[in-house]
């Protein structure tokens, strides 16, 4: 029901009861660490060994980092944010054409996370797109705004190139062949979540998205340059990730934690909201092919009595499990040995 979209309802004077978290689950924004930031890696550096070392350290210690000089053009990022804003400000009857709660659809507009499974909703609308292969999927994308298909497909191509470059650096950081991850992950799918967080009447009582990890391999996030909202869990404390001009945020996701046999961390993160400004973000997810078996390379198991931390599974099995449960349950825990 498209009437459930926050972006269709206009400004809210008070927070509806269905969005109010129990007191023990509230964000406690005053406790968030705001005076620090996550690692910044310059991919334009001529020192490839340094880049690989920085990637290894960031993946091992925090599971999050920002990249600059990454090859995705400023023009492409600005156009992506612009067309996303245009889309969510379309008339409700126009957006209603794309609404669906069916998590198997390859293009859908929805709200919260998975309203069929949730007891408390999240202050978020989102447009979910499958983005590879583009030639098969773009025809089914929204045609309003008029530039949507052209802008989003161009951004997807640039992000995919960046994703493969990062997978190469991550492979090297694990002392594997540079193309190891790209090859073993098969014909990789690519998904996108275009997130819209409206102004919220009481940000202390709810989330844009609660603490979670991502189900894929690697996530590349385009943040709103003017509005913060992403927070990362470090040593039991929430840390705000300040937007950095023209940077992209990269995080280790569940499949990379499994493939690295726990060396690299898929870290819990969340999105908080505010009462002054709406916020938009664009998350791009690099995903294994559905039939790919997720299992760490032999080089990362067997030595010093080390064995695989997780049982082998296909990505299709994992993804089905991910959408069958509440977001705050760590899906990877279901696959532990």
């Amino acid at each position: 029901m498209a009437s459930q979209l926050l972006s269709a309802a206009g400004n809210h004077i008070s927070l509806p009861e269905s969005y109010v978290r129990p007191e023990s689950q509230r964000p406690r924004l005053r406790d968030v660490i705001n005076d620090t930031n996550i690692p910044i890696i310059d991919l334009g550096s001529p020192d490839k060994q340094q880049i690989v070392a920085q990637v290894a350290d960031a993946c091992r210690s925090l599971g999050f980092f920002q990249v600059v000089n990454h090859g995705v053009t400023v023009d492409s990022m600005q156009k992506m944010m612009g067309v996303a804003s245009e889309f969510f400000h379309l008339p409700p009857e126009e957006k209603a054409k794309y609404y669906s709660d069916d998590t198997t659809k390859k293009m859908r507009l929805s709200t919260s996370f998975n309203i069929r499974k949730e007891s408390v909703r999240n202050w978020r609308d989102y447009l979910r797109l499958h983005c590879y292969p583009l030639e098969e999927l773009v025809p089914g994308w929204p045609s309003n705004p008029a530039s949507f298909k052209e802008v989003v497909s161009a951004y997807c191509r640039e992000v995919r190139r960046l994703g493969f470059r990062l997978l190469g650096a991550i492979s090297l950081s694990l002392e594997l062949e540079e193309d190891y991850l790209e090859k073993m992950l098969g014909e990789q799918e690519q998904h996108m979540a275009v997130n819209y967080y409206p102004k919220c009447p009481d940000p202390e009582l709810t989330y844009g998205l609660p603490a979670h990890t991502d189900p894929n391999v690697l996530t590349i996030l385009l943040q709103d340059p003017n509005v913060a909202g992403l927070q990362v869990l470090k040593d039991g404390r929430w840390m705000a990730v300040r937007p950095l001009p023209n940077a992209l945020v990269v995080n280790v996701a569940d499949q990379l934690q499994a493939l690295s046999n726990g060396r690299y961390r898929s870290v819990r993160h969340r999105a908080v909201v505010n009462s002054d400004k709406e916020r938009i973000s664009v998350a791009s997810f690099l995903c294994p092919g559905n039939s790919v078996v997720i299992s760490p390379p032999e080089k990362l198991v067997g030595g010093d009595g080390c064995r695989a931390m997780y049982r082998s599974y296909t990505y299709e099995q994992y993804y089905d499990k991910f959408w069958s449960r509440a977001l705050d349950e760590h899906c990877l825990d279901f696959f532990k040995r």
Side-chain angles (χ1 to χ4, degrees):
M1 295 171 60
S3 60
Q4 300 184 81
L5 290 169
L6 293 167
S7 57
N11 290 331
H12 293 260
I13 298 174
S14 61
L15 189 68
E17 191 65 29
S18 57
Y19 292 87
V20 176
R21 292 270 163 181
E23 187 170 352
S24 62
Q25 298 177 13
R26 293 174 186 174
R28 292 182 171 79
L29 299 176
R30 70 187 67 183
D31 295 334
V32 173
I33 301 171
N34 290 299
D35 59 351
T36 186
N37 217 328
I38 62 175
I40 299 168
I41 299 175
D42 183 357
L43 295 183
S45 169
D47 190 340
K48 186 173 181 178
Q49 285 187 323
Q50 182 185 53
I51 292 174
V52 170
Q54 290 175 332
V55 166
D57 184 62
C59 290
R60 187 168 48 243
S61 63
L62 184 62
F64 267 78
F65 55 95
Q66 297 195 71
V67 290
V68 296
N69 296 318
H70 42 62
V72 180
T73 64
V74 173
D75 181 65
S76 183
M77 292 190 292
Q78 290 176 340
K79 286 180 176 177
M80 181 67 237
M81 293 297 284
V83 82
S85 179
E86 286 183 62
F87 176 83
F88 282 106
H89 288 92
L90 290 171
E93 60 272 16
E94 180 68 20
K95 292 197 291 281
K97 299 176 184 177
Y98 308 110
Y99 186 86
S100 175
D101 295 330
D102 182 353
T103 61
T104 65
K105 285 195 171 184
K106 296 188 175 183
M107 192 282 295
R108 64 188 179 95
L109 174 64
S110 195
T111 192
S112 190
F113 169 70
N114 185 356
I115 60 175
R116 296 181 180 181
K117 299 290 182 179
E118 296 163 337
S119 57
V120 182
R121 293 197 179 181
N122 304 299
W123 198 256
R124 165 198 185 231
D125 289 346
Y126 65 98
L127 179 66
R128 186 88 184 186
L129 301 171
H130 286 220
C131 307
Y132 185 84
L134 280 170
E135 61 273 13
E136 295 179 12
L137 296 164
V138 169
W141 288 2
S143 53
N144 190 5
S147 63
F148 185 93
K149 294 178 180 179
E150 178 183 358
V151 167
V152 179
S153 59
Y155 177 78
C156 286
R157 290 187 185 97
E158 293 187 29
V159 166
R160 189 173 182 86
R161 285 195 293 270
L162 170 60
F164 286 162
R165 184 180 176 190
L166 289 168
L167 287 177
I170 291 168
S171 291
L172 290 172
S173 75
L174 291 167
E175 300 182 349
L176 304 168
E177 295 295 323
E178 186 170 6
D179 61 356
Y180 177 85
L181 286 173
E182 182 177 343
K183 283 184 175 179
M184 71 82 52
L185 291 169
E187 192 74 5
Q188 292 181 57
E189 292 200 14
Q190 182 178 347
H191 301 173
M192 174 186 284
V194 187
N195 303 304
Y196 176 71
Y197 306 99
K199 290 189 287 187
C200 178
D202 203 334
E204 290 280 0
L205 300 182
T206 193
Y207 292 101
L209 277 175
H212 66 284
T213 63
D214 295 339
N216 46 294
V217 177
L218 204 64
T219 301
I220 300 172
L221 181 73
L222 174 60
Q223 288 210 87
D224 189 314
N226 302 309
V227 188
L230 173 64
Q231 298 180 351
V232 178
L233 189 64
K234 182 182 181 182
D235 300 326
R237 298 283 305 278
W238 286 102
M239 182 174 70
V241 180
R242 297 191 303 272
L244 182 68
N246 305 327
L248 292 164
V249 179
V250 180
N251 68 270
V252 172
D254 291 351
Q255 305 318 309
L256 187 51
Q257 178 168 323
L259 288 167
S260 69
N261 205 30
R263 286 166 172 79
Y264 292 167
R265 302 169 59 208
S266 180
V267 173
R268 291 183 182 271
H269 52 286
R270 67 185 189 180
V272 297
V273 291
N274 70 83
S275 57
D276 299 321
K277 296 179 180 179
E278 66 183 24
R279 175 175 173 262
I280 289 174
S281 69
V282 181
S284 296
F285 308 103
L286 283 183
C287 311
N290 278 336
S291 62
V292 168
V293 176
I294 303 299
S295 183
E298 289 184 11
K299 191 170 186 177
L300 301 183
V301 296
D304 299 322
C306 179
R307 68 186 188 108
M309 294 177 63
Y310 306 96
R311 59 182 171 84
S312 298
Y313 54 85
T314 65
Y315 185 62
E316 183 175 29
Q317 290 172 322
Y318 193 92
Y319 198 66
D320 288 347
K321 184 66 175 178
F322 180 82
W323 284 104
S324 72
R325 50 18 123 205
L327 186 60
D328 56 0
E329 296 178 287
H330 193 186
C331 190
L332 199 54
D333 287 344
F334 293 99
F335 293 85
K336 280 185 175 178
R337 283 187 178 274

